[in-house]
């Protein structure tokens, strides 16, 4: 075991959205910070790591996915659904999908950049539907931080004055693409609102360090111009440049070490390169390893004082784990056959979306969802050309064949697909959780997580509504529906728990230490110098994606740490 | 003279395959372009990924007979008598070989499919698929190229041919030739400023003025963003 002699003001564990923000803010405030990240250093601007602007033929598998790159050979994520040497388990009869990134910046290197503030209602859902719990804080507590995040990071969108999808300091959005114009027309005719998407992509310059988007549609490959938000490019490099941050890459935190009085003294880690144990000392510890990994570290930090794991006197660490719901459907748009071909890449992902529009409606489920729109003339990669002329079926023509006629089919149907993906809020359950599996350790000797998670009627009914909505909107847009509509036998196409990769809730915040893990600032009830800065603190997830809220709350927690240090409380 | 596998295949394809075969394996007689797949990546691979790809390149799964059959099928599906080139010009057999090794679930369907095709060709015409003449080969393809055919005997062949069509098209359209054929124009730095006006007009659509007013003015994209306190962009 080696020990670094430095005692840091703060040790930040994990370099994703939450860890990057905490590192940046604490360093900016003058603290000495150790950032500990299990994966390697990463910068998409380095040619050796750049996958952006690669052509499919630069990959022998033409961009196909592999077990090591589940979202395709050019995707930026090092990690995936399975990690060699780091398994997880599930309770009998349940399924959970767990996506883990292992790299500087974590999942923010390849995330969708959909950047939505939670609205006032999202913090107080129990008041509205009697289910789950309210957050101890409200929109007004987070708003100043959303404002700051908007300006620091950059996000395009529009101020629409919507009650539960708040306005922000937005950059102007890009114009819609052609299939999105069909969607807008269809949604309007069905009485469903559509707005420009909100994404952390720089359509306009925000500083001299980062570039402006050049519309390659490849944000999932990470931007070599640093024109979209990745924790590494936007937060960590500037923090490191301050000279106050030491980054420990390839260093896996095993547990938080505590003194007999119960407060943290540092972290025990393993260097993945040489398998040596390493101890890092700090006056405070900020956990941001992603909600489930943070829970795992806490549960593994057992001491005489913290017998069931650090911060777990309530037994709530790992509880209330929840993910967004999801369902999707696609259609063939005959009007988009034989298109004029032009460069339609645009930004990574959609230019338009539909936020939840039925607040207060009488439905057989409590929580809402939003719609993400897909389609367009994307770059071919592995899978392009499969079932190349299947849409001929809808034209009364024969599907199949061979020869040069196939070329005409491919061109004819190129870009004629419109798809919708729904992302919804689930109702957090005490009974959905992760815990340490007593029987299994990973290759570092750390007990692995075991997941036990089932959807309730709420989510299943919501998925049913999603399917009806998608059918209605795709048809209203002029589409011919593809595939079958999943029924109850398939839970209406509801995605598996974990599949939407929005893990939240495992260390939820609250004013009552008996039913929550942290206070309203992400500070553990049980150890005053340990904080959580990832989505573990979420009481409920909203019908929005989580990351903008992770960033805002991590900033808020960091401000609180700085304040507490100034007041000598830490 | 010792030939490597690639040269062997090439000569097999360009010469009559066996006594009695009327044509070269390549239906159009076009020269075969053995575009090498990239073996050294210039982009972010982890050591585990490099190792896996090294193993895949080293692995030989298909026999030469199978590889020739794959080449012949690719050529039938996307022949070379086209200005943008065909499957063989785009190095398809190499790609198919690699992707089948890479994706375990493809191995058996392709190997078994070739065996089915050969047994069918032997039963119908007395020789393996590559060793019958071109009209005979095409007459088999005509029977298995259409998924709506219900003949139960042909079902394995239909499945296999559909798979080969998928692999051929995906392999072709992910090459430079394929990009040209499709007219794909992206993957370059540019400034998206909406659907070209004439295209919108052809579709009978137009941007709503209120929507357009909110969109980025691309002539100001390099001016650093500033806002007033009411969240209005002022630059
Ligand atoms: C494909 C995809 C698309 C997405 N799209 C969106 C979207 O559009 N909008 C949105 O809001 N969200 C989206 N998300 C979710 C978003 O990526 C996450 O919410 C966000 O990255 C979470 O940040 P985090 O800080 O909690 O953790 P992460 O980004 O997961 O980072 C955690 C880091 O901690 C490290 N770590 C873990 N354990 C340890 C340990 N023991 N010791 C040291 N380091 C450790 C990991 O290596 C990792 O780098 C998407 C996710 C994916 C995968
Ligand atoms: S779409 Fe824009 S922000 Fe995204 S990777 Fe391309 S250039 Fe960068």
């Amino acid at each position: 075991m080696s020990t670094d002699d430095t005692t840091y003001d703060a040790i930040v564990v994990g370099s994703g959205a939450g860890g990057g923000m905490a590192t940046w803010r604490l360093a900016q405030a003058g603290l000495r910070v150790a950032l500990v990240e299990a994966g390697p250093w990463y910068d998409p601007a380095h040619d050796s790591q750049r996958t952006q602007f690669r052509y499919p033929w630069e990959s022998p598998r033409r961009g196909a996915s592999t077990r090591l790159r589940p979202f395709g050979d050019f995707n930026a994520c090092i990690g995936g659904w399975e990690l060699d040497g780091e398994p997880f388990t599930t309770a009998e009869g349940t399924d959970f999908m767990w996506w883990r990134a292992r790299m500087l910046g974590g999942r923010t290197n390849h995330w969708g950049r959909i950047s939505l503030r939670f609205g006032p209602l999202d913090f107080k859902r129990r008041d509205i539907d009697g289910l789950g719990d309210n957050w101890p804080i409200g929109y007004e507590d987070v708003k100043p931080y959303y404002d700051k995040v908007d300006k620091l990071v950059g996000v395009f969108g529009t101020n629409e004055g919507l009650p539960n999808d708040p306005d922000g300091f937005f950059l102007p959005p890009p114009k819609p693409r052609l299939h999105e114009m069909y969607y807008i027309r269809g949604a309007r005719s069905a009485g469903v609102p559509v707005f420009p998407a909100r994404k952390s992509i720089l359509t306009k310059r925000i500083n001299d360090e980062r570039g402006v988007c050049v519309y390659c549609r490849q944000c999932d490959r990470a931007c070599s111009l640093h024109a979209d938000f990745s924790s590494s490019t936007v937060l960590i490099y500037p923090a490191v440049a301050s000279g106050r941050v030491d980054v420990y890459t390839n260093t896996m935190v095993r547990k938080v070490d505590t003194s007999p009085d119960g407060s943290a003294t540092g972290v025990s880690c393993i260097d993945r390169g040489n398998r040596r144990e390493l101890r890092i000392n700090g006056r405070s510890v900020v956990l941001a390893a992603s909600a489930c990994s943070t829970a795992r570290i806490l549960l593994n930090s057992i001491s005489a004082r913290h017998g069931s794991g650090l911060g777990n006197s309530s037994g709530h660490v790992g509880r209330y784990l929840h993910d967004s719901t999801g369902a999707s459907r696609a259609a063939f748009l005959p009007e988009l056959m034989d298109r004029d071909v032009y460069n339609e890449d645009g930004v990574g992902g959609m230019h338009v979306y539909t936020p939840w529009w039925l607040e207060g409606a009488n439905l057989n489920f409590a929580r809402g969802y939003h719609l993400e729109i897909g389609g367009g003339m994307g770059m071919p990669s592995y899978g392009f050309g499969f079932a190349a002329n299947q849409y001929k079926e809808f034209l009364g023509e024969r599907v199949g064949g061979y020869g040069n006629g196939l070329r005409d089919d491919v061109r004819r149907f190129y870009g004629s697909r419109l798809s919708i993906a729904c992302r919804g809020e689930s109702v957090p359950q005490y009974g959905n959780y992760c815990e340490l599996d007593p029987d299994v350790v990973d290759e570092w000797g750390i007990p692995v997580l075991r997941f036990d998670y089932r959807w309730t009627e709420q989510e299943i009914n919501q998925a049913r509504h999603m399917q009806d909505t998608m059918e209605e909107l795709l048809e209203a847009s002029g589409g011919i529906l593809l595939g079958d509509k999943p029924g109850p036998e398939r839970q209406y196409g509801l995605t598996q728990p974990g599949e939407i990769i929005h893990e939240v809730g495992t260390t939820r915040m609250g004013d009552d230490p008996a039913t929550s893990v942290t206070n309203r600032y992400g500070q553990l009830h049980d150890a005053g110098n340990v904080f959580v800065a990832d989505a573990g603190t979420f009481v409920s997830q909203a019908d929005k994606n989580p990351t903008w809220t992770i960033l805002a709350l991590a900033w808020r927690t960091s401000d609180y740490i700085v304040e507490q240090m100034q007041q000598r409380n830490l | 003279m010792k030939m490597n596998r690639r040269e062997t295949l090439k000569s097999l394809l360009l010469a009559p395959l066996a006594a009695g075969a009327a044509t070269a394996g390549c239906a159009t007689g076009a020269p075969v372009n053995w575009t090498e797949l990239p073996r050294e990546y210039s982009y972010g691979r982890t050591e585990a990924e490099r190792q896996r790809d090294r193993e895949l390149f080293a692995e030989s799964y298909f026999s030469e007979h199978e590889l020739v059959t794959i080449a012949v099928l690719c050529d039938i599906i996307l022949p070379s008598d086209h200005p943008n080139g065909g499957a063989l010009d785009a190095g398809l057999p190499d790609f198919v070989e690699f992707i089948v090794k890479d994706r375990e679930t493809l191995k058996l369907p392709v190997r078994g499919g070739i065996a089915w095709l050969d047994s069918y060709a032997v039963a119908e015409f007395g020789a393996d698929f590559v060793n019958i003449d071109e009209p005979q080969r095409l007459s088999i393809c005509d029977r298995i190229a259409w998924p709506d055919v219900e003949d139960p005997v042909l079902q394995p062949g239909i499945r296999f041919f559909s798979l080969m069509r998928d692999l051929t098209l995906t392999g072709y359209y992910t090459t430079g030739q394929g990009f040209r054929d499709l007219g794909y124009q992206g993957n370059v730095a540019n400034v998206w400023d909406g659907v070209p006006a004439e295209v919108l007009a052809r579709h009978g659509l137009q941007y709503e003025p209120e929507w357009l007013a909110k969109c980025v003015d691309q002539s100001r994209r390099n001016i650093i963003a500033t806002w007033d306190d009411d969240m209005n962009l002022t630059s």
Side-chain angles (χ1 to χ4, degrees):
Chain A
M1 150 101 66
S2 69
T3 306
D4 208 297
D5 340 312
T6 322
T7 296
Y8 293 94
D9 297 319
I11 301 170
V12 177
V13 180
S15 63
M21 178 55 85
T23 301
W24 176 84
R25 174 64 189 124
L26 295 174
Q28 192 207 34
L31 272 57
R32 268 300 267 136
V33 181
L35 173 59
V36 190
E37 165 54 50
W41 184 267
Y42 178 75
D43 185 351
H46 288 175
D47 225 39
S48 63
Q49 290 184 308
R50 178 179 61 83
T51 56
Q52 185 196 23
F53 289 124
R54 302 286 181 188
Y55 284 99
W57 54 88
E58 293 182 59
S59 149
R61 56 179 62 77
R62 309 288 166 81
S65 63
T66 66
R67 201 176 57 79
L68 301 167
R69 295 267 171 182
F71 290 158
D73 222 21
F74 294 110
N75 187 266
C77 187
I78 301 172
W81 299 117
E82 302 165 45
L83 298 181
D84 285 334
E86 299 183 40
F88 63 90
T89 61
T90 49
E92 216 181 297
T94 68
D95 268 321
F96 187 79
M97 294 175 74
W98 192 23
W99 181 278
R100 286 169 291 172
R102 285 280 179 271
M103 63 197 300
L104 193 76
R107 287 177 282 161
T108 66
N109 291 297
H110 65 291
W111 69 307
R113 273 80 181 182
I114 300 169
S115 303
L116 306 176
R117 295 179 179 213
F118 286 12
L121 304 178
D122 295 323
F123 293 93
K124 305 290 169 195
R125 281 288 164 197
R126 186 184 177 83
D127 286 348
I128 300 165
D129 57 32
L131 299 169
D133 286 294
N134 289 336
W135 289 61
I137 55 177
Y139 179 69
E140 61 291 352
D141 296 302
V142 193
K143 179 183 182 299
Y145 290 96
Y146 282 134
D147 289 352
K148 291 200 258 193
V149 172
D150 285 0
K151 290 178 180 171
L152 176 75
V153 172
V155 50
F156 73 69
T158 51
N159 290 335
E160 305 289 349
L162 301 170
N164 200 39
D165 299 272
D167 292 346
F169 289 89
F170 289 121
L171 303 170
K175 293 175 190 167
R177 305 180 181 94
L178 189 58
H179 67 277
E180 292 165 334
M181 293 297 288
Y182 275 94
Y183 174 76
I184 293 171
R185 192 171 70 178
R188 292 244 193 283
S189 75
V192 170
V194 200
F195 299 104
R198 299 177 175 183
K199 306 193 93 182
S200 45
I201 294 171
L202 304 186
T203 50
K204 190 172 169 68
R205 187 169 290 284
I206 61 160
N207 59 34
D208 290 328
E209 285 70 49
R210 294 172 58 199
V212 181
C213 176
V214 293
Y215 302 97
C216 73
R217 203 186 208 184
Q218 295 167 26
C219 298
D220 61 329
R221 300 184 183 194
C223 187
S224 63
L225 290 87
H226 298 174
D228 56 12
F229 173 72
S230 294
S231 167
S232 45
T233 59
V234 178
L235 300 169
I236 297 172
Y237 307 154
V240 169
S242 76
R244 288 187 285 276
V245 178
D246 291 338
V247 183
Y248 293 76
T249 51
N250 288 313
T251 305
M252 180 92 183
V253 171
R254 192 183 276 297
K255 61 187 174 71
V256 178
D257 300 313
T258 48
S259 63
D261 77 356
S263 62
T265 57
V267 293
S268 290
C269 328
I270 180 158
D271 181 327
R272 290 158 57 108
N274 58 22
R275 302 193 66 94
R276 290 233 179 82
E277 292 292 320
L278 172 72
R279 224 195 93 84
I280 305 172
N281 297 316
R283 293 162 59 204
S284 65
V285 175
V286 181
L287 296 173
S290 81
C292 296
S293 291
T294 287
R296 181 182 179 208
I297 294 169
L298 288 172
L299 291 170
N300 198 42
S301 303
I302 296 171
S303 62
R305 179 70 185 264
H306 304 287
S308 56
L310 181 58
N312 197 28
S313 62
S314 63
H316 274 56
V317 173
R319 294 279 166 184
Y320 292 106
L321 166 62
H322 58 295
D323 181 27
S324 297
T325 54
S328 53
R329 192 82 195 269
F332 159 54
L333 252 64
E335 286 171 281
L336 287 178
M337 273 194 310
D338 291 312
R339 299 183 58 170
D340 300 281
V341 179
Y342 50 90
N343 182 345
E344 202 192 32
D345 283 348
V347 303
M350 66 196 183
H351 292 187
V352 311
Y353 89 124
T354 291
W356 179 234
W357 68 105
L358 293 174
E359 189 66 51
N362 186 17
L363 302 163
N364 67 346
F365 57 95
R367 308 280 168 92
Y369 58 89
H370 71 264
L371 309 179
E372 303 178 359
I373 311 309
M377 297 185 287
M379 175 157 55
S381 70
Y382 180 77
F384 180 94
F386 280 17
N389 57 19
Q390 61 169 339
Y391 301 161
K392 279 179 138 179
E393 177 193 337
F394 305 117
L395 308 173
E397 296 173 26
R398 207 170 178 205
V399 174
Y402 60 88
N404 285 325
L406 291 173
R407 298 170 192 271
D408 301 329
D409 295 339
V410 168
R411 279 192 299 261
R412 189 174 179 200
F413 298 116
Y414 179 44
S416 62
R417 208 177 115 101
L418 177 69
S419 62
I420 300 180
C422 300
R423 297 286 179 264
E425 177 173 5
S426 60
V427 180
Q429 306 290 327
Y430 178 80
N432 286 339
Y433 63 100
C434 56
E435 61 181 350
L436 295 185
D437 186 330
D439 299 324
V440 186
V441 292
D442 68 9
E443 68 165 304
W444 318 110
I446 309 171
V448 309
L449 285 181
R450 178 168 62 199
F451 293 91
D452 191 329
Y453 192 141
R454 289 176 185 80
W455 293 125
T456 70
E457 279 301 304
Q458 290 289 340
E459 291 78 36
I460 296 167
N461 290 342
Q462 187 196 53
R464 179 180 191 164
H465 194 270
M466 289 172 173
Q467 294 294 347
D468 293 340
T469 299
M470 292 189 289
E471 279 201 352
E472 185 188 356
L473 292 178
L474 290 169
E475 285 183 332
S477 306
I480 299 173
L481 296 164
L482 299 172
D484 296 328
K485 184 179 190 176
E489 73 297 339
R490 281 192 282 152
Q491 295 193 335
Y492 305 98
L494 180 59
T495 45
Q496 248 172 265
E499 193 174 348
I500 302 301
I501 323 184
H502 293 163
E503 56 184 83
V504 309
T506 50
T507 55
R508 67 175 195 168
M509 61 164 70
D511 290 336
D512 181 357
T515 58
S516 60
V517 177
T518 79
N519 68 9
R520 43 176 74 198
Y521 294 101
Q523 180 179 36
L524 291 195
H525 292 302
D526 297 349
N529 65 346
V530 181
F531 299 83
V532 177
D534 57 32
T537 58
F538 285 27
V539 177
S540 59
Q541 145 72 28
D543 50 53
K544 326 282 196 302
N545 316 51
T547 308
W548 221 241
T549 303
I550 297 176
L551 289 168
L553 292 178
W555 194 329
R556 185 169 177 270
T557 293
S558 303
D559 277 2
Y560 180 77
I561 293 172
V562 172
E563 202 183 285
Q564 294 297 304
M565 285 200 173
Q566 279 159 357
Q567 296 170 5
R568 310 228 168 268
N569 293 337
L570 284 181
Chain B
M1 186 184 71
K2 193 158 176 279
M3 288 199 289
N4 66 24
R5 200 206 72 199
R6 202 161 298 280
E7 287 163 350
T8 314
L9 270 175
K10 198 165 175 172
S11 66
L12 277 173
L13 273 171
L14 291 176
L17 291 163
T23 62
C26 174
T28 56
V32 179
N33 183 354
W34 296 106
T35 312
E36 286 275 351
L37 294 175
R39 278 160 193 265
E40 280 305 321
Y41 314 111
S42 47
Y43 62 90
R45 296 300 84 180
T46 61
E47 191 41 47
E49 286 174 304
R50 284 178 202 279
Q51 181 56 31
R52 162 138 179 87
D53 287 356
R54 274 195 294 270
E55 285 166 14
L56 285 172
F57 277 118
E59 176 188 349
S60 70
Y61 176 71
F62 289 118
S63 68
E64 283 181 4
H65 170 76
E66 287 169 327
L67 283 170
V68 171
T69 309
I70 288 169
V72 169
L73 280 167
C74 289
D75 181 56
I76 289 172
I77 290 166
L78 221 47
S80 293
D81 59 347
H82 189 278
N84 291 329
L88 297 184
D89 306 304
L92 253 295
D94 275 313
F95 166 70
V96 173
E97 183 197 13
F98 183 88
I99 200 74
V100 169
K101 288 192 291 189
D102 189 31
R103 299 175 91 73
E104 197 59 40
T105 52
L106 293 178
K107 280 186 168 172
L108 214 51
V110 174
R111 167 157 291 164
I114 293 170
W116 182 93
L117 194 62
D118 281 339
S119 84
Y120 189 80
V122 168
E124 291 285 304
F125 301 110
D128 284 347
F129 185 73
V130 295
N131 288 317
I132 55 180
D133 65 25
E134 191 183 342
Q136 290 171 333
R137 283 201 288 267
L138 296 185
S139 83
I140 294 180
C141 290
D142 287 335
R143 288 173 231 179
I144 59 176
W146 306 97
D148 60 359
V149 170
E150 280 172 10
D151 184 344
V153 174
L154 294 174
Q155 292 312 309
I158 291 172
R159 297 280 172 287
F160 173 56
F161 196 88
S162 293
L163 174 60
M164 287 307 299
R165 183 172 44 233
D166 283 352
L167 294 177
T168 304
L169 288 176
T170 211
Y172 179 76
Y173 282 101
T174 49
T175 62
Q177 285 101 320
F179 272 33
R180 251 198 316 285
D181 197 77
L182 188 64
Y184 175 71
Q185 298 185 15
N187 197 33
V188 290
N190 73 107
V191 175
W192 165 259
D193 204 17
V195 181
E198 65 279 9
V199 176
L200 269 186
R202 255 197 292 289
H203 286 264
L205 293 163
Q206 59 190 53
Y207 286 123
E208 298 163 1
E210 313 80 62
W211 191 301
L212 219 46
K214 299 173 190 164
C215 290
V216 58
D217 173 354
Q218 296 293 16
S219 70
R220 304 178 68 78
R221 54 196 255 105
N222 274 308
I223 303 171
I224 290 185
T226 51
W227 296 266
D228 65 19
D229 290 344
D230 293 327
M231 298 178 159
N232 299 306
L233 187 72
T234 51
S235 63

